[in-house]
Amino acid sequence: MPLLVLENVKANYGGIQALKGISMAVTEGEIVTLIGSNGAGKSTTLKSISGQVKVNGSITYGGQNIANLPPHQTSRLGIAHVPEGRRIFPKLTVKENLLIGAFAVKQKRTIEERMERVFSYFPKLKERLDQKGGTMSGGEQQMLAIGRALMGRPKLLMLDEPSMGLAPIVVEQIFEIISELNQEGMTILLVEQNAYQALQIADRGYVIQTGEIVLEGVGKELMVNEQVQEAYLA
Ligand code: ATP
C-alpha cells in the first residue's frame, strides 16, 4: 500500500496556478524523485505535502487525509521537509540547529542517541558542534539541514534540491547518504533539477512540467527516455 498519495492536487499563488492537478504516489521504502525545470512546481508539491501551501484535491498519508494540515502536524506524523536552499539557522550552532529538529522529543537520552546517529552519517557535524551554522560550507550546511530533519526520526524524508550549488564530490556524498538512509528503511521523496543523479538512485520518478505530471516511470527507464534525455539530461 502506498504511504503517500496525491490525487488531483491544485495550488495557487494569487492568480498563478502552480499545481494544476498533480497525482502521484510514494510507497513505503521507495526513493521517488520528482524532476523538472525551474518553476515547474517541484517545490510547491513538497510544500503542499508538508502543509506550507493551501491545496485543493486529496493528499493521504498512511491512509489519513493530510491535505491542508499545518506543518507542525505533518511533522508530528513523521513527514520531514528539507527545504531548498538549506534553511538552517545561521546564527545558531550546529548543536542548536540539531536540537531544533528534535523539538518534540523530551528524553535527553533519546536526543543524544539520535544525535549520535546523525554523526554516523555526517561525522563533520560532530567536529563542528559548537560552530555557527552560517560559517560552514554549503555542503556542510546541507548536511546540517538533513541532519536536523533526521533528529525528528521521520518516516518520509522530503528533500528539495539537496544538490543545489554544491561541488560534484559533495553531491556524490549526499546522494550516497540518501541511498543509505533508504536502505535502512526510510522512504524518500527527492525533488531535483539534477535529473541524472536523482534517477540513478531512485526507484521511480515523475516528471513535472508547468504544474502537471507529464511522465512517470521506473528510474532507470526514465533515464533512457528520449524526452527526458533531451529536456533534462542534455
Ligand atoms: P525551482 O526549482 O525554481 O524552485 P520549482 O519547480 O520548485 O522551481 P515552484 O517553486 O514550485 O517551482 O514554482 C512553481 C510556480 O509557482 C512558478 O511559476 C513560480 O514562479 C510560482 N511561485 C512559487 N512560489 C511563489 C510565491 N511565493 N508567490 C508567487 N508565485 C510563486
Side-chain angles (χ1 to χ4, degrees):
M1 208 188 59
L3 178 64
L4 176 76
V5 183
L6 278 69
E7 278 170 314
N8 201 23
V9 170
K10 297 177 181 159
N12 308 294
Y13 298 104
I16 301 165
Q17 191 165 25
L19 302 182
K20 296 174 182 161
I22 297 284
S23 296
M24 60 184 288
V26 181
T27 298
E28 202 165 334
E30 274 189 314
I31 300 187
V32 171
T33 186
L34 180 62
I35 58 177
S37 42
N38 249 326
K42 304 182 297 299
S43 300
T44 305
T45 303
L46 294 194
K47 286 177 185 166
S48 68
I49 298 164
S50 61
Q52 293 172 46
V53 297
K54 290 271 170 262
V55 296
N56 280 305
S58 150
I59 306 179
T60 59
Y61 171 80
Q64 179 185 350
N65 177 18
I66 60 158
N68 298 312
L69 276 191
H72 70 271
Q73 284 188 27
T74 56
S75 127
R76 264 174 216 279
L77 291 172
I79 300 176
H81 183 175
V82 181
E84 192 176 351
R86 38 190 177 268
R87 305 237 173 73
I88 55 143
F89 295 98
K91 299 235 161 93
L92 299 186
T93 64
V94 167
K95 187 174 181 184
E96 289 163 343
N97 268 282
L98 289 175
L99 288 175
I100 287 170
F103 72 94
V105 185
K106 288 197 179 68
Q107 299 82 353
K108 206 167 163 231
R109 179 84 196 275
T110 310
I111 294 176
E112 277 163 9
E113 280 167 8
R114 289 193 189 176
M115 218 178 265
E116 282 307 321
R117 193 89 194 274
V118 169
F119 299 149
S120 72
Y121 297 114
F122 305 115
K124 276 227 175 99
L125 295 181
K126 190 170 188 172
E127 293 164 23
R128 310 257 153 129
L129 216 49
D130 298 315
Q131 194 172 322
K132 291 218 161 63
T135 65
M136 301 203 298
S137 71
E140 288 161 356
Q141 290 187 32
Q142 184 60 265
M143 292 172 187
L144 179 54
I146 297 172
R148 186 177 60 189
L150 295 179
M151 289 297 289
R153 226 182 42 190
K155 191 164 181 165
L156 172 66
L157 178 64
M158 306 198 295
L159 301 158
D160 196 344
E161 298 205 29
S163 77
M164 195 168 61
L166 302 182
I169 180 129
V170 182
V171 174
E172 199 79 27
Q173 284 171 6
I174 288 183
F175 275 72
E176 245 166 57
I177 306 257
I178 296 171
S179 288
E180 221 177 292
L181 287 167
N182 175 251
Q183 275 155 25
E184 288 163 14
M186 198 171 286
T187 307
I188 314 256
L189 177 54
L190 171 66
V191 154
E192 265 297 339
Q193 274 192 58
N194 190 340
Y196 181 75
Q197 291 273 6
L199 289 172
Q200 263 188 335
I201 65 164
D203 297 302
R204 293 185 308 111
Y206 293 86
V207 178
I208 183 169
Q209 233 169 54
T210 54
E212 288 172 295
I213 301 289
V214 292
L215 211 58
E216 63 176 279
V218 171
K220 301 213 164 64
E221 279 169 23
L222 285 180
M223 195 125 68
V224 297
N225 178 289
E226 250 178 58
Q227 211 181 324
V228 172
Q229 289 205 334
E230 264 178 39
Y232 307 105
L233 298 174

